Each structure stands twice: as structure tokens, then as C-alpha cells.
């Protein structure tokens, strides 16, 4: 990998310190002890990327952690501004910012590759081909969610648009994909060979022997003889020359693992639903674009959508319109379906409940109340509404139980890295948000960190005051947790009318992060409340107006 050329060693070390401190802020916000180990690996990758002299490396490794790292970043920002002011007075000088920003291609390509750990592999000259007889020694690319979160933090400190990170991720992923696409084999033969080899040895040893994983007719992970010139050409197209090891059989295996195509990915994999007490649990993929070429591309990050209720006989994912929302970089997008019969029944129950209660003038009394964003127990519901509770209570109770089960199975999927060794964003509304919340707490219990980058929880029926469960979520999400709520969602308030254990709901009032993380400012910044009251009048609107909701969410992704 080519290093970023910065003539002034002071500017070079300034950029290295900025990257290292940004990574350590991300690690501190995660809070998990394992994040310290990730931070040390990230620091080493940064030093190798920028080719920092050995003399300066030790000083940079001793940069502070936690809040002290954030204070250091603020100090560096002031130094940069002073430097720019000095340059403004003396045209013969060049600012550190200008030296760093004059080559955005090298900057962002290098940053993304550093997050992938490629600088470490190249520097130490890992001979992957020598391990092809021992698949257990293969070390796949791992794009840790904390690394992607750090890339966004670094971009922010450099006053660069956050879209740059996604843009250069796409360039690198396209280079990998082009190299694989030019090496297709016959679908039937490749699939038959794959199935036979997988059943005997498992996919990692299969890749190590020089075969590949075929997905939708595209071979990713081919023999060194076939792929070598194409892989090198693909890497050169995105400025990633010098990484010849990617053309080896082991290198191809690493690419397949990264992009989530090994073993068919989440689309082709069967899940043990009986173990979790579910009848149905599967993924479908949202197409990237209209052109056939878009359908066969893969990204360096993924998004998983989880619906909380469904319209009967819907032919497409409820999240399909989200692809057209401006500003959203979804990467490879999937929709998770579980217990669809129950989720369709729940949507029908919502419609019947709202239709029947709307006939009563008592609804206007309820909507006039201002306690929906406060204590649920303080609200006295009119009898005209209570008598229709039986329409919705039973489907809702079943949905709550199945959603929690689906959350644990989703944790199984993410921990197994079926989606690839890359960051994932989770988006869900209503019971789908509950599924994600359960998944995050389960991942925390298993100490599976660095998988989830961002979580978007819309209209979530979860207690917003439980410090332990929200702390677990913050430690498992590397970048941001967006809590969408509506003070007008009287249907959600009604569903929790009898709860004595839950007095505040995240879906009605968000989360009071200031009190919950009073002594953890970095973790506090990770939580973001998004008031959707102007869009959401009642619970079904999370489905009916999903594109409007996601347009609001896109401002923070």
C-alpha cells in the first residue's frame, strides 16, 4: 500500500496523532476491555500506513486514552487553526491541513485500507500461500465496526464530508469485485463442487485448496493461476498496488470472507430456528440499483432491516423505498423476516383497533393529554378505548415474545459473521427495534464486540430507564445509536397501559442520556434522540411513512 506523502514530518505526526486519538475515543466510548486491544492494533496500522519514523512511534503509542484523548484532539484542532492563521499572514508557508488534504485519494484510500488492516499484512509480509495446507492459520480481512467508526471521527476532525468514507469504501470494494467477476466458472459446476467440498472440509479449507465460493454465478475466491493477473489489475484500479498476496488462493479466501459471500452469506444460509423456538427466520437482499451490474456488487459494510409488523400480501420488502432516500449509504442491504404470519396479524390488529377507537369521541380526549411523553401510569384511559383492547393485546404479546427470540437468533447470525467480516448497521421499527435491542444485549453477554457499527431503533417498546441494558447496547454499537420516538404514539402508550415495571418507553420519549451516562461523556454522545412527532401520529405510521422517517434518520448516518 502506498503511504500518504506528507513532506513535513510535523504534519505527518499530527495526522498520526489525530488518527490514534480518534481511535482511542471510539475505544473508550465502547467501554469493553477488548476495545483496548483493538485500539492498539489500530494504532499500529496507522503508524505503518504513515511510515512514521521509529523515533516518533513510541511517543505516538503513548498518546492518552479516553477523555484525555478527546482533550488532545481539541488541542490539536486549536493548533491547526493557529497554523492556518499563520499561513494566512505569510504566503510562503504551507499549513498542515493543506499538506494533508492536497491528496484526498491517498488519504481516504489509505485510511480505509488501514481500517482493514492491510498495512499490517503488507509490512510483515504475510505469506498466505504458505498456509494453504493449514486453513486454520488463515486470517481473513476484518473490517472492525470500531475501525469504521474511527474513520468517520477522523473525517469529522479533518472537516471532510463523511460521505468520503463510503465513497472510497465503494472504490476499494469495486476493485475486489471486478477481479472476481472476470473469473467466472459455470454455475452448475462451481456450485456442485462447492457443495461437495463444503460437506467434506468446510469452506475455509476448501478455499485454501484453490477452489472458490460461487454466489449468483459470481466466483469469489478462485485459483491463484486464474486470478493473479486479474486481482492485481483490480487492485491497481483503486490505487492499492503492491498487495500481490491478494492474488494468492489464501488472499482470495480472505476477500470472500470479508464481503460475506463465503458459504452463500446470509441469503444462502439456513438457520436453526428450532433452537430459538421460531418457525420462520430468513433474509432477502435489497438490490443495489437498476442496472444488472449493480446486482452483483458487494460493499465493505452491510445494513440489516428488521420490520416490526407487515402488510398482508406485500410483494416487496417494506424497506424497498429506502434505497431512494437521499444521503443513505446502505452498502449491502438485507431485510430480516421472522414469523411473518404473526407480524401480518399484528398489523391487522393495529388497523382494527385504530378504526374502532376512532369512532369514539374519547380518542380526542386521549390525544389532548400531554402525558404520552411522561409516566404511562399517569394516564387514565377512557372505557370506550379499553373495551377494544382485546383486539390488540393478544397479537402484541405474541409479537413481543417472538421478537425477543428472533433477537437471540440474529445475535447467532452476526457472531458467526455470516454477513462477512465487515461492519453492519441495524435498522428496525416497533418489534423489529425490540429484536435489535435484544440482539445487542445478547452480543454483549457473549462479548462479541466490533460487529455492529450503528443501530437505528424506531418506536421501540423498551424501558428507557434501564441503565444496564442501555450500557450493554452502547458497548456493542461502535458509532451511534439513534432512538426515534413520537410523543403522539398513543397506540404504543395504550399497549403498555398495564405495565407497572415500565414507566418510560424509548418509543415515546427517547432516552435521557445525560442522566444515564452522566460520568461517561463519550458514551453519552453515542446516543442520539430523534423526535419524529411531526411524522408519526400513531404506531402504524412507522410502516406507512417509512421513507419520510428514514429521510430524517439519514441526516445522522
Amino acid at each position: 500500500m502506498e503511504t500518504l506523502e506528507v513532506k513535513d514530518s510535523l504534519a505527518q505526526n499530527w495526522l498520526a496523532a489525530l488518527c490514534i486519538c480518534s481511535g482511542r475515543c471510539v475505544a473508550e466510548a465502547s467501554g469493553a476491555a477488548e476495545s483496548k486491544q483493538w485500539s492498539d492494533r489500530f494504532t499500529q496500522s496507522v503508524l505503518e500506513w504513515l511510515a512514521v519514523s521509529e523515533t516518533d512511534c513510541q511517543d505516538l503509542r503513548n498518546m492518552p486514552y479516553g477523555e484525555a484523548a478527546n482533550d488532545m484532539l481539541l488541542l490539536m484542532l486549536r493548533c491547526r487553526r493557529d497554523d492556518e492563521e499563520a499561513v494566512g499572514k505569510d504566503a510562503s508557508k504551507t499549513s498542515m491541513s493543506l499538506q494533508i488534504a492536497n491528496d484526498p485519494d491517498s488519504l481516504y484510500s489509505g485510511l480505509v485500507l488501514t481500517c482493514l488492516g492491510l498495512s499490517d499484512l503488507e509490512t510483515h509480509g504475510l505469506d498466505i500461500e504458505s498456509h494453504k495446507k493449514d486453513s486454520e492459520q488463515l486470517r481473513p480481512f476484518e473490517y472492525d465496526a470500531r475501525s469504521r467508526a474511527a474513520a468517520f471521527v477522523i473525517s469529522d476532525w479533518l472537516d471532510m464530508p463523511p460521505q468520503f468514507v463510503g465513497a472510497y469504501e465503494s472504490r476499494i470494494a469495486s476493485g475486489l469485485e471486478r477481479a472476481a467477476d472476470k473469473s467466472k466458472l459455470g454455475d452448475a459446476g462451481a456450485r456442485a463442487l462447492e457443495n461437495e467440498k463444503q460437506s467434506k472440509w468446510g469452506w475455509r479449507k476448501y478455499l485454501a485448496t484453490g477452489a472458490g465460493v460461487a454466489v449468483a454465478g459470481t466466483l469469489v475466491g478462485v485459483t491463484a493461476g486464474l486470478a493473479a493477473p486479474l486481482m492485481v489489475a483490480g487492485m491497481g484500479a483503486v490505487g492499492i498496488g503492491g498487495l500481490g498476496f491478494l492474488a494468492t488462493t489464501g488472499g482470495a479466501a480472505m476477500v470472500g470472507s470479508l464481503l460475506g459471500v463465503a458459504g452463500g452469506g446470509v441469503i444462502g444460509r439456513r438457520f436453526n430456528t428450532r433452537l430459538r423456538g421460531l418457525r420462520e427466520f430468513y433474509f432477502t437482499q435489497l438490490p443495489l440499483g437498476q442496472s444488472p451490474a449493480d446486482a452483483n456488487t458487494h460493499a465493505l459494510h452491510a445494513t440489516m432491516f428488521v420490520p416490526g409488523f407487515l402488510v398482508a400480501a406485500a410483494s416487496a420488502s417494506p424497506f424497498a423505498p429506502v434505497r431512494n432516500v437521499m444521503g443513505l449509504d446502505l452498502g449491502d442491504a438485507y431485510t430480516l423476516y421472522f414469523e411473518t404470519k404473526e407480524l401480518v396479524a399484528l398489523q391487522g390488529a393495529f388497523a382494527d383497533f385504530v378504526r374502532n377507537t376512532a369512532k369514539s369521541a374519547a380518542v380526542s380526549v386521549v390525544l389532548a393529554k400531554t402525558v404520552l411523553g411522561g409516566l404511562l401510569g399517569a394516564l387514565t384511559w377512557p372505557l370506550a378505548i379499553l373495551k377494544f383492547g382485546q383486539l390488540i393485546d393478544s397479537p402484541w404479546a405474541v409479537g413481543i415474545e417472538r421478537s425477543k427470540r428472533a433477537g437471540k437468533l440474529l445475535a447467532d447470525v452476526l457472531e458467526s459473521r455470516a454477513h462477512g467480516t465487515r461492519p453492519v448497521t441495524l435498522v428496525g421499527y416497533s418489534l423489529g427495534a425490540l429484536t435489535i435491542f435484544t440482539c445487542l444485549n445478547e452480543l454483549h453477554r457473549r462479548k462479541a464486540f466490533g460487529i455492529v457499527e450503528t443501530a437505528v431503533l424506531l418506536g421501540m417498546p423498551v424501558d428507557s430507564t434501564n441503565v444496564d441494558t442501555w450500557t450493554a447496547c452502547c458497548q456493542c454499537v461502535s458509532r451511534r445509536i439513534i432512538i426515534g420516538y413520537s410523543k403522539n404514539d398513543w397506540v404504543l402508550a395504550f399497549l403498555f397501559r398495564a405495565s407497572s415495571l415500565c414507566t418510560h418507553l424509548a418509543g415515546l420519549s427517547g432516552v435521557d442520556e445525560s442522566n444515564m451516562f452522566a460520568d461517561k461523556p463519550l458514551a453519552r454522545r453515542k446516543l442520539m434522540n430523534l423526535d419524529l412527532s411531526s411524522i408519526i401520529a400513531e404506531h402504524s405510521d412507522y410502516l406507512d411513512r417509512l421513507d419520510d422517517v428514514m429521510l430524517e434518520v439519514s441526516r445522522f448516518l
Side-chain angles (χ1 to χ4, degrees):
M1 180 176 66
E2 298 178 1
T3 59
L4 179 65
E5 294 185 4
V6 182
K7 295 179 181 179
D8 187 353
S9 62
L10 177 61
Q12 181 186 56
N13 290 348
W14 182 88
L15 178 59
L18 179 88
C19 294
I20 291 169
C21 287
S22 297
R24 292 182 178 183
C25 285
V26 170
E28 176 67 18
S30 297
E34 194 271 342
S35 290
K36 168 68 165 54
Q37 300 173 11
W38 163 81
S39 177
D40 291 342
R41 294 194 301 270
F42 184 75
T43 295
Q44 184 60 31
S45 291
V46 168
L47 295 176
E48 291 168 352
W49 164 41
L50 296 174
V52 177
S53 67
E54 192 59 37
T55 306
D56 296 324
C57 278
Q58 192 56 45
D59 291 336
L60 289 168
R61 289 192 183 99
N62 290 333
M63 296 294 287
Y65 287 85
E67 276 300 308
N70 190 68
D71 293 340
M72 179 66 73
L73 286 168
L74 292 173
L75 177 62
M76 293 171 63
L77 181 62
R78 286 196 293 269
C79 291
R80 187 186 74 176
R81 288 173 177 169
D82 292 342
D83 178 58
E84 290 172 348
E85 289 177 3
V87 170
K89 297 176 182 179
D90 186 353
S92 64
K93 296 182 179 180
T94 304
S95 70
M96 291 185 294
S97 299
L98 183 59
Q99 290 188 60
I100 293 168
N102 64 1
D103 189 3
D105 279 353
S106 295
L107 173 62
Y108 275 92
S109 293
L111 179 58
V112 173
L113 289 167
T114 297
C115 292
L116 282 166
L118 285 182
S119 59
D120 176 69
L121 289 175
E122 183 181 23
T123 300
H124 294 290
L126 178 62
D127 185 7
I128 299 177
E129 187 68 19
S130 66
H131 296 315
K132 70 178 183 179
K133 293 183 179 179
D134 186 0
S135 62
E136 295 305 315
Q137 295 186 52
L138 284 175
R139 181 168 53 146
F141 294 147
E142 183 174 355
Y143 192 6
D144 195 290
R146 290 163 293 195
S147 297
R148 192 168 199 254
F152 281 107
V153 172
I154 293 165
S155 184
D156 187 43
W157 282 109
L158 291 174
D159 292 328
M160 297 284 196
Q163 291 83 1
F164 274 26
V165 175
Y168 280 87
E169 283 179 341
S170 297
R171 289 181 61 182
I172 292 171
S174 295
L176 295 171
E177 200 68 20
R178 279 196 301 270
D181 283 347
K182 294 178 181 178
S183 306
K184 291 182 180 180
L185 297 179
D187 286 5
R191 289 182 182 275
L193 182 60
E194 177 200 354
N195 292 335
E196 179 183 356
K197 295 292 185 180
Q198 278 193 31
S199 64
K200 292 181 179 179
W201 299 319
W203 74 268
R204 294 185 74 179
K205 183 172 289 187
Y206 170 42
L207 287 171
T209 61
V213 175
V215 178
T218 300
L219 189 72
V220 178
V222 294
T223 63
L226 286 174
L230 301 175
M231 181 68 79
V232 172
M235 294 300 95
V238 292
I240 321 175
L243 297 180
F245 70 85
L246 287 178
T248 66
T249 53
M254 295 168 71
V255 172
S257 174
L258 170 67
L259 297 178
V261 298
V266 294
I267 302 299
R269 188 166 300 194
R270 294 182 179 180
F271 304 102
N272 191 348
T273 55
R274 289 186 178 182
L275 183 64
R276 297 298 181 189
L278 296 173
R279 295 190 306 273
E280 193 177 27
F281 186 97
Y282 65 93
F283 291 87
T284 62
Q285 186 165 9
L286 294 181
L288 283 173
Q290 300 298 324
S291 67
D294 290 335
N296 289 325
T297 59
H298 293 85
L300 289 181
H301 68 286
T303 301
M304 291 183 178
F305 294 108
V306 188
F309 44 87
L310 296 166
V311 175
S315 59
S317 165
F319 293 95
V322 174
R323 274 290 188 197
N324 300 320
V325 174
M326 292 181 62
L328 276 180
D329 178 17
L330 302 177
D332 290 339
Y334 307 92
T335 303
L336 167 60
Y337 291 97
F338 66 93
E339 306 296 80
T340 54
K341 180 179 178 181
E342 284 76 6
L343 296 186
V344 168
L346 182 58
Q347 165 62 11
F350 283 147
D352 291 343
F353 177 71
V354 172
R355 182 170 58 252
N356 281 280
T357 54
K359 297 176 182 178
S360 171
V363 172
S364 61
V365 177
V366 174
L367 296 179
K369 299 282 187 177
T370 59
V371 297
L372 287 177
L375 290 173
L376 299 181
L379 183 59
T380 301
W381 293 91
L383 290 176
I385 292 180
L386 288 174
K387 70 178 184 180
F388 293 112
Q390 60 183 344
L391 293 174
I392 197 171
D393 286 344
S394 179
W396 179 255
V398 171
I400 288 281
E401 179 195 8
R402 301 296 171 82
S403 296
K404 291 179 179 179
R405 293 180 182 180
K408 292 184 177 181
L409 186 50
L410 179 57
D412 295 340
V413 173
L414 295 180
E415 188 181 26
S416 71
R417 297 301 189 114
H419 66 287
T421 54
R422 54 183 176 167
V424 62
T425 293
L426 302 176
V427 182
Y429 62 83
S430 186
L431 295 184
L434 175 59
T435 297
I436 293 171
F437 191 78
T438 304
C439 168
L440 294 174
N441 277 270
E442 183 67 15
L443 288 174
H444 179 269
R445 187 185 68 80
R446 304 178 189 181
K447 301 187 183 303
F449 303 109
I451 300 174
V452 180
E453 178 212 337
T454 297
V456 180
L457 309 171
L458 306 170
M460 184 169 64
V462 166
D463 184 2
S464 62
T465 62
N466 190 316
V467 177
D468 291 339
T469 55
W470 283 102
T471 299
C473 281
C474 279
Q475 291 186 356
C476 272
V477 177
S478 300
R479 184 185 173 206
R480 188 167 292 161
I481 300 176
I482 300 173
I483 302 111
Y485 69 95
S486 172
K487 298 175 183 178
N488 302 326
D489 194 351
W490 63 276
V491 174
L492 183 58
F494 178 82
L495 290 166
F496 276 81
R497 67 194 180 280
S499 176
S500 59
L501 300 177
C502 179
T503 57
H504 290 79
L505 281 179
L508 291 177
S509 57
V511 175
D512 187 1
E513 72 280 6
S514 298
N515 290 328
M516 188 174 295
F517 299 111
D519 58 339
K520 298 177 180 178
L522 290 176
R524 186 167 64 241
R525 294 173 204 162
K526 190 179 289 186
L527 287 172
M528 180 172 294
N529 291 307
L530 180 59
D531 189 349
L532 299 170
S533 300
S534 61
I535 300 175
I536 304 299
E538 49 96 1
H539 207 58
S540 294
D541 287 342
Y542 281 107
L543 175 58
D544 298 335
R545 302 194 62 184
L546 190 56
D547 51 347
D548 295 327
V549 169
M550 291 305 297
L551 183 60
E552 287 295 308
V553 171
S554 67
R555 296 188 292 117
F556 306 101
L557 289 178

